[in-house]
Amino acid sequence: MKIKHSWLNRTIVGFGLTSFFSDFCFEMTTPILPLFIEQLVGPGYGAFALGIIEGLSNGLASITRVLSGRLADTVAHYKPYLIAGYGIMPIFVGLIGTASSVWNVLFYKTIAWLFKAMREPIRDTWLSKIVTSKYYGRAFGFNRALDSAGAIVGPLLTYFIVNKVSFRTIFFIAIIPGIFSLFALLVFTREIKENERMRKSPQPWLKEIDQLPPDFKYFLWVVLLFGLGNFNQTLLIYRVQKQYMVMKSSSIIASGWVILFYVFFNIIRSLCEFSIGSLSDFVNRKKLLAIFGFGAFGLTSMCLIFEPTQVSLWFLLFGIAGLSSGTVKALKKAHAATLLPEDVRGTGFGILQAIDGVGDFISSALVGGLWNLFSPAIGFTYAACLSFCAMILLLAKK
């Protein structure tokens, strides 16, 4: 594939628009999912059910990420797989609105996330091949920033309609931006002839694992440690929802405030993804990831041990969480791309994202379980400890 000397090209813009509308789709449903699940399971079991659903859907998607990463190193064309991923995911997000039990939600969410996971290593490998390594921070950051911009617009739309339509209707409406994401992929992204060459013959998977650089393998262990405490953001949403339901005695008012907090979270995340991603092309990327990514999440977890009652403190907390999320999402892949040789980059991306899924499964289920069995403080203390340990280990690596 021909390498471009400018980081911003038609396909990068296409990926950005595709990510924007895709996140618009499923992030419309993120702020209402915790209360929707609680309506199905009843009060007292929401945190555990939410942790299981989020964790299991991400954990099972890890298998898809590994297979997708391997495909990215062997297939001649990427686009058909991305069409399937971006085309099918919105359908199952919408089907959540038909759920009559928590098991229905688990099934539909898992299928949606399997197809979401399939597209990620292929897209990231394609992206890494059309820009030079010195632009990785900007290219990955730009994609993540538009992704998060969709996560701003989606919840904002939900905020304005949540008092006018049912939760179920919001899931159905979310299909529409999903269709636009597929349209953007079809129209704007372009595979050039150089990518139509014969790809290498697949090697045994364990042999490809063995070929991964030692520095990347160390990075995988650090990411796994961080992932084991990096609970899904819906538990953060659920934490503030429960607090506001106690204060305001209304699930609708609580949902309104939570959507605003979540929009603020995504604004900060979007700004950080591009700005810190661009900064990492000039400043040590690993240190930025360790401090503003892993360390900031540890700080977020520590703050969640307490129960803030002031709106300003919740905005501050969601801002720190947005800083962490934006930094991790922008720099984790950019740093991995610099550690991986081109011939195993897809495999590396697949394993990296699979580890993310495994970590998310364990952390979300465990934090949700500790929350219900003991107290929220126990779960968030566990998350904070692992985050700070990951920060120290990444900084210690020469």
Side-chain angles (χ1 to χ4, degrees), residues 11 17 41 46 56 72 103 105 193 210-211 241 257 271 292 307 321 332 334 347 398:
T11 299
L17 290 173
V41 300
L56 193 58
W103 301 109
V105 177
K193 290 183 178 179
D210 189 56
Q211 290 177 352
Q241 274 181 336
W257 274 108
L271 292 173
F292 295 108
E307 297 181 347
K332 184 170 58 181
T347 298
K398 301 297 183 182

Side-chain angles (χ1 to χ4, degrees), residues 35 163 241 244-257:
L35 285 182
N163 292 328
Q241 274 181 336
Y244 267 73
M245 283 178 68
V246 171
M247 293 169 57
K248 306 294 184 181
S249 301
S250 168
S251 62
I252 295 298
I253 295 175
S255 294
W257 274 108

Side-chain angles (χ1 to χ4, degrees), residues 14 29 55-56 68 75 92 94 140 143 147 157 163 168 194 196 207 220 296 307 329 337 365 370 372 393 397:
T29 68
L56 193 58
S68 176
V75 299
F92 283 90
F140 281 99
N143 184 260
D147 188 278
L157 177 58
N163 292 328
R168 293 183 184 277
E194 285 82 351
E196 296 176 6
K207 185 174 182 181
L220 288 177
E307 297 181 347
K329 289 182 179 297
L370 291 172
N372 277 140
L393 288 174
K397 179 65 175 175

Side-chain angles (χ1 to χ4, degrees), residues 63 125 133 150 164 222 247 327 332 395:
I63 300 171
T125 303
S133 59
K164 301 176 176 65
V222 174
M247 293 169 57
T327 302
K332 184 170 58 181
L395 288 173

Side-chain angles (χ1 to χ4, degrees), residues 305-319:
I305 294 171
F306 308 100
E307 297 181 347
T309 56
Q310 296 180 343
V311 171
S312 58
L313 292 179
W314 277 112
F315 272 115
L316 177 62
L317 181 55
F318 272 77

Side-chain angles (χ1 to χ4, degrees), residues 20 31 124 229:
F20 169 81
D124 294 338

